[in-house]
Amino acid sequence: AMPTPQAVQAAVDELVAPAGMFTGVFSVGWYNQKRRDTAQSTQLIDAPDTAYGLVVASTPRFFDAICDYFVEAASKESDFVDSCVDHHLKRVLEACPPGTTWQNLDRPPYLHSQTLSHVAGIDVHVEPTECFGDGEDQGAWMAELVEELKEERDETMWGGAIDKVFGLNIHPRYGGWYSIRGLVVLPADVQPSEPITQSEMKLDLAPEALRLIIREYNLRPDLSYWRDIPNQSPEDKYDPDAFLYFTERRPAMRRRFLELKVARRAK
């Protein structure tokens, strides 16, 4: 008999937890329907709506897995994040029924990661309009932020979106210190014994905390203050090494960083 999606998820979570990864289970139809409703049916998953899948995410501990993989990997190609994700997604297949497919979400065909993680119950999507308590004045706050955005953003890059205030996804524990890495689509005959409903995560954050996150995300995204949530444990954020590594875009610099990092670990 085929396992249920929940049973596959439990086996996969056990496999990837040591690498600082975790999963959310979802129905392909939840994602595809949301894309049909909000995005003119772009970036759909090529699978039946009745199929189930897992979204694979990484926590701050994933940086250690990248360092481990750098030591083990025979060829030192430049982008170790991608190849480390591939390595772990291939391992995930061992815990999945035959016919399961996987995809690294940093590669085409591109899917909408924010929608995926939301329908899989991994995080909560917050729109700027949801950051106000009863009777709080949205207008003045938004107007002030829009003025700052027009000063900060480069018009040649942003064009007509220069004054747009974007929403974002937040994890109740990791804030913004996590990443959506991969997708696993299970064969269509892997079905739950009871129908499962989309899990709705809740955020226990005050409106002013949400406003600060939205403000930082739009004004100074590179500094990553938007990733912090109040009273967060330092363990649930990137350490300084991981922060600098993941914000570094040049592959050769990333590689040099790992060489220096693993040389210290070997001591």
Side-chain angles (χ1 to χ4, degrees):
M2 276 289 186
T4 63
Q6 298 97 319
V8 176
Q9 181 190 21
V12 167
D13 275 342
E14 198 173 318
L15 195 65
V16 298
M21 300 172 102
F22 66 103
T23 67
V25 70
F26 74 104
S27 157
V28 170
W30 299 343
Y31 171 84
N32 280 353
Q33 194 53 52
K34 204 155 183 63
R35 296 301 293 169
R36 291 183 196 113
D37 293 346
T38 59
Q40 292 89 46
S41 297
T42 53
Q43 298 179 301
L44 298 179
I45 296 171
D46 185 13
D49 275 9
T50 52
Y52 283 84
L54 302 176
V55 176
V56 183
S58 64
T59 73
R61 293 204 322 280
F62 184 62
F63 182 58
D64 290 329
I66 292 171
C67 294
D68 294 340
Y69 184 65
F70 185 77
V71 174
E72 290 162 23
S75 81
K76 302 285 185 225
E77 72 263 48
S78 54
D79 197 345
F80 264 81
V81 180
D82 252 12
S83 47
C84 185
V85 170
D86 287 351
H87 168 72
H88 287 289
L89 289 173
K90 285 172 189 163
R91 285 179 60 234
V92 160
L93 286 187
E94 297 166 22
C96 296
T100 300
T101 59
W102 65 274
Q103 181 184 339
N104 182 328
L105 290 170
D106 276 336
R107 293 212 192 94
Y110 293 115
L111 298 170
H112 197 258
S113 291
Q114 279 198 333
T115 306
L116 272 175
S117 56
H118 177 67
V119 296
I122 282 176
D123 51 25
V124 181
H125 185 73
V126 178
E127 279 297 317
T129 50
E130 298 169 315
C131 303
F132 297 88
D134 295 339
E136 288 187 306
D137 178 20
Q138 274 189 50
W141 184 85
M142 286 294 265
E144 192 180 313
L145 179 54
V146 163
E147 283 313 304
E148 287 183 88
L149 290 176
K150 285 177 178 170
E151 280 177 32
E152 279 293 315
R153 289 174 174 170
D154 178 351
E155 192 162 1
T156 50
M157 262 180 66
W158 287 88
I162 193 163
D163 57 354
K164 182 162 167 55
V165 180
F166 293 92
L168 76 162
N169 287 25
I170 305 171
H171 188 281
R173 175 176 167 187
Y174 298 112
W177 300 104
Y178 68 107
S179 195
I180 306 304
R181 300 288 181 186
L183 171 70
V184 173
V185 178
L186 302 171
D189 53 353
V190 174
Q191 291 292 317
S193 44
E194 302 278 320
I196 56 177
T197 53
Q198 214 173 308
S199 56
E200 285 292 328
M201 278 196 123
K202 291 277 181 278
L203 279 181
D204 188 22
L205 294 179
E208 59 268 29
L210 290 175
R211 288 200 292 276
L212 182 60
I213 290 169
I214 291 273
R215 186 188 150 77
E216 287 291 344
Y217 181 68
N218 282 278
L219 266 182
R220 306 189 293 173
D222 293 352
L223 293 182
S224 289
Y225 284 114
W226 65 268
R227 298 179 191 270
D228 297 340
I229 52 176
N231 309 314
Q232 193 173 17
S233 158
E235 299 294 304
D236 293 333
K237 303 181 187 193
Y238 288 3
D239 67 16
D241 280 358
F243 174 63
L244 288 176
Y245 178 79
F246 285 121
T247 49
E248 173 59 66
R249 292 279 169 247
R250 294 164 295 177
M253 286 292 278
R254 278 187 160 194
R255 190 187 145 159
R256 185 71 185 116
F257 192 104
L258 288 177
E259 285 172 359
L260 293 167
K261 175 80 178 165
V262 300
R264 285 183 74 92
R265 286 172 73 191
K267 287 272 184 299

